[in-house]
Amino acid sequence: MFRNAYALMLNTGISAVLGLGFWLAAARYYSESAVGQGSAAIAAMKLLAGLTAVTLTGALARFIPVAGRATGRLIARTYAGSSVLVAIAAGVFLLTLDAWGPSYRFLHGPVNGLGFIAAVIAWNLLTLQDGVLTGLRSALWVPVGNTVFSAVKLGLLVAFAVAIPTAGVFVSWVAAIAVSVLPLGWLVFRRLAPRHVKATEDHAKPPSLREIGRFLAGDYTGSLFSLAVVYLVPVIVASQVSSQDNAYFYITTTIGGTCNLLAINMGASLTVEGSHDPGRLAANTRAALKRMARIMLPVAGILFFGAPWILGVFGSGYADAATPLLRWFAVGAVLRVVMETYFAVLRAQSRTSGLAWLQGLLCAMVLGLTLLLLPRMGLTGAGVAEISSLAVIVAIAAPRLYRTVRLAPAPEVPATAAPDGDLADLGAQRGTRRGPRPP
């Protein structure tokens, strides 16, 4: 569990460093208006691709571990079906482009429109690919693919600064996707999936369509709500503020969102291992919470106290406008540890109806409070809206998560196992006797 989780966290760290480099270069080589337009298009692309990519990653993490010989078909059908759905969604978005504000004007025209649809499909595949690699318990490949993607898009960003000064931010992002999707796609279907089938053939229990349908009925619905929180809020902000203010907001929410991914990564790995071995779910949950507390508290502290200097790297305007917003996001990163861990437990147990209810409540509160507070408090209002909503969800989830990790017994540690840091996290006892325990 920790190996896959740390691989995903390493990916988050590398993507954060190169991502900050990307937006720093964008702030230096492009006007604030161009950065605002490019970030708005990227937000829309992520929102539309997320209609299937983000909403299906939970199902991939849940069912790939037990899919057996159906693994390849499950992945291929997920790729194909999701690509069709997001292409249709992107087409609808383009038909209503005038309603989304001035930041999206550069997408007008058939060539730009077709390019945007292709970008949405490509981002959909890239996002699903991370979920597939996690479900195959091969998350070590995730940072490899995303490092190449992040490095290439940074190089293209600088190269396009003169050639396409308005759309260069968006085009460089999209053009780099192929360098990750194509080689890792070959690796998944030719190497990793066959190896997974062979390793799990003795105990695999391929899910039925009815079982997948029941899971998706709750998880897909809940993930749509989660998608709205992560991707619709930036689109709403972009439609209501100037391109300059949107640049401030998008870069700040990118920094905050990167920290949130650390908790999401641990949750994804917890779901996979909970599917492989349900008997260890309580122990693994305890270990995940302890490990995430050690990681997230220092990270959130750095974000909170260092906000002016972190944003000041991009320019004085970013620090002046968005320091309070980044501090609110730092508080939210700590709250998300509890929330995402509980969500991972629900997915591992296929209790997706409760998951959908909590995600729906979070979505309604975040969107409602954002629309209410943004005109009154400016960009800071979006941060207040998110943290207030997270606090309510954590207040509901924390007691239930506590019962999960405390009431279920911890698994016995084999007598021959040597105690180390991880076993200590799982509650291992020193001095375990050899042989059977006395009655």
Side-chain angles (χ1 to χ4, degrees), residues 146-239:
N146 284 338
T147 298
V148 174
F149 162 70
S150 298
V152 171
K153 77 178 181 184
L154 178 58
L156 292 177
L157 176 75
V158 178
F160 290 158
V162 176
I164 40 179
T166 300
V169 174
F170 180 64
V171 173
S172 61
W173 190 292
V174 174
I177 295 176
V179 300
S180 176
V181 169
L182 295 179
L184 284 184
W186 179 90
L187 180 68
V188 164
F189 286 104
R190 300 292 296 176
R191 300 291 183 185
L192 299 181
R195 187 180 70 185
H196 171 77
V197 171
K198 184 177 181 180
T200 61
E201 59 185 355
D202 293 336
H203 56 274
K205 297 179 180 179
S208 64
L209 290 177
R210 184 177 180 181
E211 183 180 358
I212 295 175
R214 283 201 308 268
F215 182 92
L216 286 177
D219 192 57
Y220 184 83
T221 303
S223 295
L224 284 178
F225 293 133
S226 179
L227 172 73
V229 172
V230 176
Y231 293 139
L232 183 56
V233 170
V235 174
I236 290 175
V237 173
S239 67

Side-chain angles (χ1 to χ4, degrees), residues 188-399:
V188 164
F189 286 104
R190 300 292 296 176
R191 300 291 183 185
L192 299 181
R195 187 180 70 185
H196 171 77
V197 171
K198 184 177 181 180
T200 61
E201 59 185 355
D202 293 336
H203 56 274
K205 297 179 180 179
S208 64
L209 290 177
R210 184 177 180 181
E211 183 180 358
I212 295 175
R214 283 201 308 268
F215 182 92
L216 286 177
D219 192 57
Y220 184 83
T221 303
S223 295
L224 284 178
F225 293 133
S226 179
L227 172 73
V229 172
V230 176
Y231 293 139
L232 183 56
V233 170
V235 174
I236 290 175
V237 173
S239 67
Q240 295 194 20
V241 303
S242 66
S243 295
Q244 184 180 35
D245 283 341
N246 186 60
Y248 300 150
F249 175 81
Y250 191 83
I251 288 181
T252 305
T253 197
T254 297
I255 297 171
T258 299
C259 294
N260 294 339
L261 285 174
L262 296 175
I264 294 172
N265 291 339
M266 181 64 80
S269 187
L270 179 60
T271 296
V272 171
E273 296 309 313
S275 300
H276 269 284
D277 189 356
R280 294 187 61 86
L281 180 60
N284 285 339
T285 302
R286 286 193 292 269
L289 283 170
K290 291 180 181 179
R291 197 62 56 92
M292 284 309 302
R294 297 172 190 170
I295 295 171
M296 290 301 296
L297 288 175
V299 170
I302 291 172
L303 272 190
F304 187 90
F305 293 106
W309 295 277
I310 294 171
L311 291 171
V313 174
F314 298 92
S316 59
Y318 291 86
D320 293 339
T323 291
L325 178 63
L326 184 55
R327 284 176 169 164
W328 282 109
F329 286 158
V331 176
V334 177
L335 295 175
R336 281 185 178 273
V337 171
V338 177
M339 185 184 76
E340 294 296 341
T341 302
Y342 183 61
F343 286 179
V345 170
L346 292 179
R347 287 192 179 96
Q349 297 174 333
S350 292
R351 294 164 56 194
T352 54
S353 59
L355 177 64
W357 182 83
L358 287 174
Q359 289 174 314
L361 178 60
L362 177 65
C363 176
M365 289 190 297
V366 170
L367 294 182
L369 289 175
T370 298
L371 291 171
L372 177 67
L373 298 178
L374 186 63
R376 294 167 174 78
M377 301 178 64
L379 298 181
T380 304
V384 175
E386 179 171 323
I387 304 317
S388 301
S389 305
L390 285 173
V392 173
I393 300 303
V394 169
I396 297 172

Side-chain angles (χ1 to χ4, degrees), residues 121-135:
I121 294 173
W123 189 257
N124 166 67
L125 295 176
L126 182 68
T127 307
L128 286 174
Q129 180 176 265
D130 291 352
V132 168
L133 291 170
T134 303

